[in-house]
């Protein structure tokens, strides 16, 4: 049996893994784990990843999780072009530095913003207080300032003149932020230019394919959830809103 | 000029870097930073790390932040023994996976609980409400459970039969508290056994040295806290609570 990738394209780290594998023609079997139906909580999936999170990978008997670790594993295993995750120690370290900062700073803010504005109203029938929304937006904006000033710095891609795993991972998260009505790209020409570079390298066909579901508001309606989905999603919404 | 490591040993990620460098005899100049005095906001430090965080590394003209990125860089640059960050694809993936996982789970939850118990009362002037502390304890317990059941299982170390960066990182969080206090691994014999293995590998000498440096760092906390730093920490705490 070949490589299996357990994904739901509604999740940004899953999209990053999907786009990365496809753009590099890595053969894999797509295993859908529908978050809206709580499928990540199933016993079967628990055998692939006891942490019950996606993305997850199964390569023969070997299983693993964590999107960053998965991207690095794929880059290494399939001996992809050096620019994706360079062998040069300093270039590699800088990419690692960015990935960590992004996952620990930008992504949680994007997720919070998304849940407060989209998921909580759908599940709990109420919006978060205005000050809370404003606070998250301000923090997110500050993080984007940091992204432009410290990491992107007007380069073509995050690590320089060539695309790497850093660009794929962060673009997927940032596109999701646009789903809450934030015009982050229109307001930031440098980021918009970077986005065009990344999209043109990957190709709009694959980009659109990967982002079709997340950009469709219907994907988050209660109609797309079953009772198991509603249960876990509601619990999460309550936690985030508290 | 050689390798410089900007560290505040009150911060666990700084301790990981310190221990790794010392254990592997990597020569470095220890640039002591005191976060409680707001030293990370200095202009001089901004030249080392624009993000104003520790740990930070300066190796000639090359600067780097983010603790696990620093660990991996040091391991590869100084060609440390393979087991720390294995060259085998799947063994390495196990380490990468744990290092990625721990940030927003084990390390964050432990940090949060420590904050609630030590810094919060001092900064807010009153103890944190019991339900908040209980919730934080539950989150940490969940992380410890996952660490044991998903990562450690029946192995000697987290990712195999030899110590790796993953164990060093987890060890600092799970280490026996200085000067007494509750042991977070209490009631978890498998994790306690794992901790003993890690302690044996790291060696008593380095662990004692680490503890001594921490005591010194703690002593440096005495005296006025930088007011801007105090405000920032208060805001952070209030958000968390």
């Amino acid at each position: 049996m070949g490589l299996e990738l357990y994904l739901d394209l509604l999740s940004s780290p899953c999209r990053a893994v999907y786009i990365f594998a496809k753009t590099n023609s890595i053969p894999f079997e797509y295993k859908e784990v529908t978050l809206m139906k709580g499928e990540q909580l199933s016993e079967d999936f628990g055998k692939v990843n006891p942490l019950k999170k996606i993305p997850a990978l199964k390569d023969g008997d070997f299983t693993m999780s964590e999107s960053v670790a998965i991207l690095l594993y794929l880059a290494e295993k399939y001996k992809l072009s050096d620019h994706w995750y360079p062998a040069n120690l300093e270039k590699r370290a800088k990419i690692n530095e960015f990935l960590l900062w992004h996952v620990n700073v930008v992504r949680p803010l994007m997720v919070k913003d998304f849940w407060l504005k989209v998921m909580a109203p759908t599940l709990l029938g109420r919006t978060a207080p205005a000050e809370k929304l404003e606070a998250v937006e301000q923090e997110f904006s500050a993080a984007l300032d940091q992204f432009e000033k410290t990491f992107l710095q007007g380069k073509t891609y995050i690590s320089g003149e060539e695309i790497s795993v850093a660009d794929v991972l962060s673009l997927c998260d940032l596109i999701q932020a646009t789903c809450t009505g934030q015009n982050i790209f229109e307001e930031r020409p440098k980021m918009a230019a970077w986005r065009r570079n990344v999209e043109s390298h990957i190709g709009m066909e694959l980009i659109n394919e990967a982002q079709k579901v997340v950009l469709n508001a219907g994907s988050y309606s209660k109609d797309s959830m079953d009772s198991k989905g509603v249960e876990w999603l509601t619990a999460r919404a309550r936690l985030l809103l508290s | 000029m050689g390798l410089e490591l900007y560290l505040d040993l009150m911060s666990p990620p700084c301790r990981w870097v310190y221990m790794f460098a010392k254990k592997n005899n990597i020569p470095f100049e220890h640039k002591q930073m005191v976060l409680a005095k707001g030293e990370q906001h200095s202009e001089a430090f901004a030249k080392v790390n624009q993000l104003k965080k520790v740990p930070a590394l300066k190796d000639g003209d090359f600067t780097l932040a983010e603790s696990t990125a620093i660990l991996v860089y040091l391991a590869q640059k100084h060609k440390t023994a393979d087991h720390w960050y294995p060259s085998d694809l799947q063994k390495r993936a196990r380490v990468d996976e744990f290092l990625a996982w721990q940030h927003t789970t084990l390390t964050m939850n432990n940090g949060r609980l420590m904050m609630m118990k030590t810094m919060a009362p001092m900064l807010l002037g009153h103890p944190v409400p019991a339900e908040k502390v209980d919730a934080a304890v539950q989150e940490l317990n969940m992380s410890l459970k996952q660490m044991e059941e998903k990562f450690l299982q029946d192995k000697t170390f987290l990712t195999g039969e030899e110590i790796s960066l993953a164990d060093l990182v987890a060890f600092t969080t799970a280490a026996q508290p200085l000067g007494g206090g509750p042991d977070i691994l209490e009631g978890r014999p498998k994790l306690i056994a794992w901790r003993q293995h890690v302690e044996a590998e790291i060696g008593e000498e380095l662990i004692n040295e680490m503890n001594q440096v921490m005591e010194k760092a703690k002593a440096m906390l005495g005296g006025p806290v930088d007011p801007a730093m105090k405000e920032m920490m208060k805001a952070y705490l209030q958000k968390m609570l």
Side-chain angles (χ1 to χ4, degrees):
Chain A
M1 203 183 316
L3 180 71
E4 296 173 359
L5 295 175
Y6 291 75
L7 311 168
D8 181 338
L9 295 180
L10 276 181
S11 139
S12 55
C14 288
R15 288 197 297 281
V17 170
Y18 181 81
I19 287 173
F20 189 65
K22 283 266 172 172
T23 210
N24 286 291
S25 307
I26 295 171
F28 68 91
E29 194 184 335
Y30 182 102
K31 300 287 225 177
E32 174 77 31
V33 178
T34 308
L35 294 172
M36 294 286 136
K37 303 201 163 140
E39 285 177 4
Q40 78 282 16
L41 302 169
S42 79
E43 237 185 84
D44 269 347
F45 180 66
K47 294 187 185 126
V48 176
N49 182 16
L51 296 172
K52 312 221 163 158
K53 291 222 161 132
I54 51 173
L57 168 156
K58 191 170 191 298
D59 198 357
D61 287 329
F62 179 71
T63 58
M64 70 180 294
S65 59
E66 297 295 329
S67 55
V68 170
I70 289 174
L71 291 173
L72 303 192
Y73 175 81
L74 294 176
E76 208 76 50
K77 171 160 183 176
Y78 294 92
K79 298 188 180 358
L80 303 180
S81 296
D82 184 71
H83 61 78
W84 286 113
Y85 191 57
N88 172 276
L89 282 191
E90 291 184 3
K91 283 188 181 167
R92 178 172 282 208
K94 280 312 208 181
I95 288 176
N96 285 338
E97 180 191 63
F98 173 80
L99 288 171
L100 285 159
W101 173 81
H102 175 86
V103 167
N104 292 316
V105 175
V106 178
R107 179 178 290 166
L109 289 169
M110 180 279 283
V111 167
K112 195 155 197 186
D113 179 73
F114 190 81
W115 277 74
L116 288 177
K117 289 180 180 167
V118 175
M119 300 306 289
T122 303
L123 294 157
L124 306 175
R126 56 185 160 102
T127 36
E131 327 83 66
K132 200 159 187 170
L133 292 176
E134 248 178 70
V136 176
E137 277 183 3
Q138 267 176 28
E139 268 193 81
F140 189 59
S141 182
L144 294 182
D145 286 340
Q146 196 74 261
F147 172 58
E148 285 190 310
K149 212 176 60 149
T150 305
F151 296 101
L152 193 54
Q153 294 178 330
K155 304 194 294 296
T156 310
Y157 298 102
I158 291 164
S159 73
E161 295 313 299
E162 292 193 278
I163 197 172
S164 73
V165 291
D167 303 286
V168 177
L169 194 84
S170 65
L171 185 65
C172 287
D173 281 355
L174 294 175
I175 297 283
Q176 184 133 357
T178 66
C179 297
T180 63
Q182 294 195 80
N183 295 321
I184 58 176
F185 292 103
E186 286 83 346
E187 291 166 359
R188 293 164 189 271
K190 284 186 179 161
M191 266 181 62
W194 163 77
R195 175 188 178 174
R196 280 193 299 272
N197 295 333
V198 180
E199 288 182 342
S200 115
H201 189 284
I202 291 170
M204 284 317 290
E205 199 186 316
L206 175 55
I207 294 275
N208 290 336
E209 183 195 328
Q211 295 179 348
K212 208 168 44 175
V213 276
V214 75
L215 294 177
N216 170 15
S219 308
Y220 301 100
S221 70
K222 270 203 155 149
D223 294 332
S224 51
M225 301 175 197
D226 68 2
S227 57
K228 215 174 179 192
V230 171
E231 196 187 322
W232 90 268
L233 290 163
T234 306
R236 195 170 182 212
R238 286 221 173 89
L239 200 66
L240 273 157
L241 215 65
S242 66
Chain B
M1 202 185 318
L3 177 69
E4 295 172 4
L5 294 176
Y6 292 73
L7 312 170
D8 178 343
L9 293 180
M10 293 311 290
S11 142
C14 289
R15 295 204 284 278
W16 310 337
V17 172
Y18 182 89
M19 290 196 96
F20 184 69
K22 285 276 171 175
K23 178 71 189 169
N24 289 285
N25 299 313
I26 296 170
F28 69 93
E29 192 184 335
H30 180 188
K31 301 286 213 178
Q32 295 204 59
M33 303 281 297
V34 184
L35 296 179
K37 299 202 166 163
E39 287 177 4
Q40 70 281 27
H41 295 296
S42 77
E43 251 185 68
F45 184 63
K47 294 194 180 110
V48 176
N49 181 14
Q50 280 188 59
L51 297 169
K52 307 189 181 195
K53 293 211 164 141
V54 289
L57 167 157
K58 191 170 188 299
D59 199 358
D61 286 328
F62 179 65
T63 59
L64 183 68
E66 297 296 338
S67 54
T68 50
I70 291 173
L71 287 173
V72 169
Y73 172 79
L74 290 175
Q76 296 187 306
K77 171 141 191 200
H78 294 269
K79 298 187 183 0
T80 54
D82 188 72
H83 60 79
W84 287 112
Y85 193 60
S87 43
D88 173 83
L89 178 66
Q90 290 184 356
K91 285 185 180 171
R92 174 174 292 194
R94 289 261 89 90
V95 178
D96 282 336
E97 186 190 20
F98 183 82
L99 292 180
W101 173 82
Q102 55 80 27
H103 278 293
T104 53
T105 53
L106 183 72
T107 303
M108 185 183 85
N109 289 331
N110 189 55
R112 209 172 251 196
L113 187 60
M114 285 295 112
M115 256 252 151
M116 286 187 186
K117 286 185 160 173
T118 57
M119 299 235 67
M122 184 183 93
L123 286 167
L124 302 175
H126 59 80
V128 174
E131 330 84 70
K132 294 273 179 184
V133 178
D134 284 343
V137 169
Q138 269 185 35
E139 293 284 318
L140 180 58
N141 281 336
M142 174 60 94
S143 299
L144 289 170
K145 184 169 189 280
Q146 287 173 338
M147 180 173 143
E148 187 180 320
E149 291 176 9
K150 143 88 184 176
F151 292 99
L152 183 62
Q153 296 179 349
D154 292 309
K155 306 193 293 296
T156 308
F157 295 100
L158 287 171
T159 58
E161 291 310 299
E162 291 188 277
I163 196 172
S164 75
L165 291 176
D167 303 283
L168 199 64
V169 164
F171 174 72
T172 314
T173 298
Q176 306 241 32
L178 273 182
D183 184 351
I184 68 169
L185 296 188
E186 191 184 307
R188 296 178 192 274
K190 263 186 165 171
L191 288 182
I192 288 176
W194 159 79
R195 185 172 61 193
Q196 278 166 354
H197 292 135
V198 177
E199 278 168 351
E201 273 298 315
I202 294 175
E204 206 179 313
E205 200 184 316
L206 180 51
I207 292 181
N208 286 340
E209 183 191 328
M210 186 78 246
N211 288 339
Q212 273 170 27
V213 183
M214 270 180 72
E215 288 291 339
K216 267 201 213 145
K218 236 180 178 174
M220 279 166 91
L221 276 182
V225 178
D226 178 74
M229 183 69 194
K230 197 171 181 178
E231 282 316 303
M232 226 173 63
M233 295 197 79
K234 261 169 109 166
Y236 167 77
L237 267 171
Q238 266 146 6
K239 229 183 358 178
M240 202 172 55
L241 303 174

